[in-house]
Structures are given as C-alpha cells and as structure tokens.
Amino acid sequence: MISPVSCAIPNRNENSPKLSGNIPEIRIRPGSYLEGFYKKEIVTEEFFCNYEVNPDFEGSIIEAGFAIAARGENGEIRAIEAPKHKFFIATLFQPQLSSKAGKPHPIIVEFLRAAAKWKLEKAEDGVLE
C-alpha cells in the first residue's frame, strides 16, 4: 500500500536530508477534519519524501472506510482520515517538523484536544479512577 519513492523536494534547507523539505500546494478536501483544523484548503507541509501511497490501493482505502483528506499537486494522496473515528488521521507529511514553541501545528493541537476530551469522557464514565 505504501511504496518507496525518491522525489525532489523544492526549497530544501541546505543542511536538511536530501529528500526533506517543504511541499507546497497540498490540497485539503472540503468538509474533512483537516479542513476544520487548518481553516483553509491549500497548505504547505514538511516531508521526508521516502514513501507515498501506491495509487493502485486508493479504491481499497476508500472501501475500508477512510476518506482521502489531502492530495498533492499531482493528485497523489497526502493524508487520509476515518470520518467515523474520534481522531484518526494519517499523513505523509510530518506535523512535528513545522511545530514551533508558541505555535504548534494544527494537527497536534487537535490531537491533544481529542485526547483531553476522551480522558474527560472516560473519567465521567468512571473508567479512569
């Protein structure tokens, strides 16, 4: 399902690994969780570009209940999510690379919110005592 690739990353920092850097023009699917997190439809993200989703498996991903949440400029899958799950997002970009002190990445913020909400719900149910 995931295939090794070797892609050129534009605007790579001089001291970065060869296949890492910013990828512009990642299109977020309207109505997705990711669009709700970012509040916009086109973003730039940082990658270590060693793998990507094999397009031959796109139908299987959708049939399994996942939604394609983001695509690259050539239509390649960059993120999927499980719409029926409280928080399941898989990305090929790495949110931790662009998180900064005082300005965490939106996916990290939303993951922490989902975890806090889950903990509160479980505490109210008496599960976490």
Side-chain angles (χ1 to χ4, degrees), residues 54-66 68 77:
N54 183 328
D56 294 340
F57 290 94
E58 184 169 339
S60 298
I61 291 167
I62 294 167
E63 285 177 20
F66 295 99
I68 309 302
I77 297 171

Side-chain angles (χ1 to χ4, degrees), residues 2-108:
I2 302 293
S3 300
V5 296
S6 179
C7 56
I9 305 279
N11 306 318
R12 180 177 67 85
N13 292 335
E14 187 175 317
N15 296 327
S16 295
K18 181 180 178 187
L19 299 175
S20 69
N22 289 328
I23 298 282
E25 298 289 323
I26 296 173
R27 298 187 181 282
I28 307 298
R29 183 178 55 81
S32 66
Y33 286 137
L34 285 183
E35 184 194 34
F37 300 168
Y38 284 104
K39 311 275 190 274
K40 53 186 169 180
E41 291 184 21
I42 298 176
V43 298
T44 297
E45 285 293 348
E46 291 192 47
F47 282 79
F48 282 118
C49 189
N50 296 320
Y51 299 94
E52 67 183 28
V53 177
N54 183 328
D56 294 340
F57 290 94
E58 184 169 339
S60 298
I61 291 167
I62 294 167
E63 285 177 20
F66 295 99
I68 309 302
R71 292 186 182 272
E73 65 182 339
N74 297 315
E76 63 277 19
I77 297 171
R78 293 297 185 205
I80 64 172
E81 58 189 33
K84 295 181 181 179
H85 193 277
K86 291 182 182 186
F87 191 96
F88 182 99
I89 296 174
T91 69
L92 287 175
F93 48 89
Q94 296 177 286
Q96 71 275 17
L97 295 176
S98 57
S99 275
K100 306 293 182 236
K103 190 174 185 213
H105 191 282
I107 292 176
I108 293 172

